[in-house]
Amino acid sequence: MAIAITGASGLIGSALSSALRGRGDQVLHLVRRAPRVADELDPGVREARWTPGADLDPEVLDGVTGVVHLAGAGVADRRWTDRRKRELLESRTEGTGTIARALAVRAAARDTSASAPPRLVSASGVGIYGDRGDEVLTEESAPGAGFLADVCRDWEAATWPAGHAGVPVATVRTGIVLAPQGGALGKLLPLAKAGLAGPLGGGDQYWAWITLHDHVRALMFLLDHPEVTGPVNLTGPHPDTQTAIVKALAHALRRPAVVPAPTIALRLALGEMASEILASGRALPTVLTEAGFTFDHPDLTSAMAWITES
């Protein structure tokens, strides 16, 4: 296969690019800087420039059988001001619209007797469900309330041009991605190793988590199964409370899990973002499992063993 990736320099994108090349696929990184030449790139990689919000020449995607769209400003990179919230929204909707329109043009121009339409796997988040306590959430659950829920609704809606043109689209609602470096554990892991990590707030909120390893495997599974369309929860099969996750990490590291960080302190430090971090989402990967996907790290024990041994 030939797969285009936006956000290929990020935690998930770089791991996905490596895994695709490892199985023999060709990879096109869509970048916002000047593309590098072949001699400067790893084998199996080429680059092309794109600008989110502008039109992308559909010829850039010639020969591409699938696109994984991951690009978007980091939700937790900065404190949320009104300006930052606009950046978070626009970086998702404008970039997704650019990719969707280019795929729609390419789908319309293809020789239907000779080729299948390209596949789009486009990022979204379990934040679409809002703060739902211990309610079990599947892809059929209604969206919730809150800033991230609104962003995710608009984000997924921006794929419409591609779907309307016959492109098989899956919008992947990603949960908390657990990895040895970066992701949700990027700042927590050093604290845990020092015996200083504890639950956030009350700690009873559910985190729908997935390891980076399984996340990448699931993206590749969806590329290989274009018949799976619509929303797909990219989460592990057993969401756990934030307290359970921290305790499992501390146990794997043979370190204590100390007193929770008070909710009021988090709100003072993080502002409005604290409400989203403290939100509870018990999302299940119903579509994935019914399509036949199996997890290498289905529970916290196997997940934490992978994280601490990697």
Side-chain angles (χ1 to χ4, degrees):
M1 299 175 70
I3 306 299
I5 305 173
T6 71
S9 62
L11 174 72
I12 297 170
S14 58
L16 174 63
S17 177
S18 178
L20 287 169
R21 286 180 281 124
R23 72 175 192 177
D25 292 338
Q26 299 293 309
V27 179
L28 169 65
H29 293 174
L30 296 179
V31 298
R32 287 177 285 179
R33 49 168 172 76
R36 293 176 291 176
V37 298
D39 290 346
E40 300 172 332
L41 297 168
D42 293 330
V45 176
R46 60 188 179 93
E47 292 185 343
R49 190 167 191 165
W50 79 305
T51 302
D55 287 334
L56 174 65
D57 185 348
E59 290 186 2
V60 170
L61 301 177
D62 280 354
V64 167
T65 52
V67 178
V68 181
H69 174 50
L70 302 171
V75 170
D77 289 355
R78 303 179 203 166
R79 190 181 179 94
W80 288 358
T81 61
D82 288 342
R83 179 179 178 181
R84 182 58 176 172
K85 287 166 73 175
R86 285 195 301 273
E87 290 175 352
L88 292 173
L89 173 62
E90 292 173 358
S91 71
R92 285 161 172 76
T93 56
E94 292 182 356
T96 303
T98 294
I99 295 297
R101 289 192 300 272
L103 285 172
V105 172
R106 184 170 176 268
R110 70 188 174 90
D111 180 354
T112 56
S113 65
S115 61
R119 165 64 149 163
L120 174 59
V121 177
S122 189
S124 182
V126 294
I128 196 168
Y129 301 115
D131 186 0
R132 304 285 275 270
D134 62 358
E135 178 185 354
V136 174
L137 303 167
T138 71
E139 290 85 354
E140 295 184 356
S141 300
F147 170 66
L148 285 185
D150 293 342
V151 167
C152 289
R153 272 196 297 265
D154 291 348
W155 195 2
E156 294 184 9
T159 67
W160 181 86
H164 183 68
V167 174
V169 178
T171 51
V172 289
R173 296 173 174 175
T174 297
I176 302 292
V177 179
L178 305 182
Q181 296 89 25
L185 295 186
K187 296 181 180 179
L188 183 60
L189 192 57
L191 293 174
K193 289 180 177 178
L196 300 175
L200 304 177
D204 57 352
Q205 67 272 30
Y206 275 89
W207 272 8
W209 60 268
I210 186 171
T211 62
L212 176 62
H213 170 83
D214 275 338
H215 193 288
V216 168
R217 291 180 58 248
L219 290 174
M220 294 167 68
F221 178 88
L222 291 171
L223 286 170
D224 296 341
H225 292 81
E227 72 278 5
V228 181
T229 60
V232 180
N233 289 341
L234 240 62
T235 64
H238 301 294
D240 292 275
T241 64
Q242 207 268 340
T243 294
I245 292 171
V246 171
K247 285 185 176 180
L249 177 60
H251 178 76
L253 293 169
R254 296 182 175 84
R255 295 290 189 274
V258 298
V259 177
T263 299
I264 189 170
L266 290 171
R267 296 194 185 280
L268 288 172
L270 301 175
E272 184 180 351
M273 190 194 310
S275 296
E276 302 290 352
I277 290 176
L278 295 171
S280 182
R282 196 176 182 180
L284 299 180
T286 304
V287 169
L288 264 182
T289 53
E290 289 183 352
F293 181 80
T294 58
F295 291 83
D296 284 346
H297 305 137
D299 51 49
L300 282 177
T301 299
S302 57
M304 293 306 171
W306 174 75
I307 287 167
T308 56
E309 293 170 5
S310 296

